[in-house]
């Protein structure tokens, strides 16, 4: 009975409304990542991971937040970079955590503000290729 009701609810909503809700949740996830950054910075400064016997701060984040190592490393990378513009975009939910990492890496290749802004319109695969090509130079 519940499955039939869920199916009925899904089929009566438009594709656009489903997509908008999905995007809304993804933006919420980005804003949550932004909220975690200052806490991670403070905990990183205290070297909390040493007291807890973890290998490093990323391992500590992974264990405490029940996240894969890659995502924990991304959170730590963005927290340590402290890039104001990227954090503003993360705070508003305009970009996600992975794009934040790529944009910070792009910025570290001496990318212009115009390139940083334009790169927000590139898919993640294309953005990572751009970062890789600039890092090779």
């Amino acid at each position: 009975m519940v499955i039939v009701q869920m199916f009925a609810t899904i089929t009566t909503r438009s594709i656009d409304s489903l997509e908008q809700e999905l995007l809304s949740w993804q933006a919420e996830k980005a804003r949550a990542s932004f909220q975690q950054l200052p806490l991670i910075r403070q905990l990183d400064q205290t070297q909390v991971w040493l007291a807890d016997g973890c290998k490093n701060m990323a391992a500590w984040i992974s264990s405490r937040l029940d996240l894969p190592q890659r995502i924990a490393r991304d959170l730590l990378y963005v927290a340590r970079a402290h890039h104001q513009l990227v954090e503003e975009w993360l705070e508003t939910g305009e970009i996600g955590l992975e794009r934040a990492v790529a944009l910070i890496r792009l910025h570290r290749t001496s990318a212009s503000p115009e390139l940083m802004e334009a790169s927000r319109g590139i898919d993640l695969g294309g953005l990572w290729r751009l970062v890789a090509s600039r890092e090779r130079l």
Side-chain angles (χ1 to χ4, degrees):
M1 182 68 177
V2 173
I3 293 173
V4 172
Q5 289 174 337
M6 284 184 359
F7 184 72
T9 303
I10 290 172
T11 57
T12 59
R13 294 182 59 190
S14 71
I15 299 291
D16 185 55
S17 73
L18 293 169
E19 181 183 357
Q20 292 307 312
E21 184 175 346
L22 185 62
L23 292 171
S24 173
W25 283 112
Q26 190 62 25
E28 189 64 31
K29 199 169 138 184
R31 287 188 289 272
S33 292
F34 170 78
Q35 294 295 322
Q36 291 173 322
L37 297 178
L39 304 171
I40 290 171
R41 283 186 196 109
Q42 289 177 357
L43 291 164
D44 190 25
Q45 287 174 350
T46 65
Q47 296 183 334
V48 67
W49 57 275
L50 284 171
D52 280 348
C54 289
K55 178 168 64 169
N56 54 43
M57 185 61 182
W60 186 89
I61 293 168
S62 176
S63 70
R64 291 304 180 272
L65 301 182
D66 197 24
L67 294 172
Q69 279 279 335
R70 181 187 61 79
I71 296 173
R73 281 191 306 269
D74 287 352
L75 270 171
L76 183 59
Y77 182 78
V78 174
R80 286 179 173 169
H82 210 28
H83 190 284
Q84 184 179 354
L85 183 58
V86 170
E87 286 189 29
E88 286 175 14
W89 291 335
L90 196 58
E91 179 182 23
T92 61
E94 295 175 59
I95 64 171
L97 183 61
E98 188 169 350
R99 184 171 295 271
V101 171
L103 288 171
I104 290 168
R105 293 225 353 230
L106 180 63
H107 174 76
R108 290 185 173 172
T109 67
S110 301
S112 67
E114 294 79 22
L115 180 58
M116 293 285 291
E117 182 66 40
S119 67
R120 290 175 52 206
I122 301 172
D123 70 296
L124 278 173
L127 178 55
W128 280 114
R129 284 189 296 278
L130 175 63
V131 169
S133 69
R134 291 183 59 91
E135 287 178 338
R136 279 192 300 262
L137 298 176

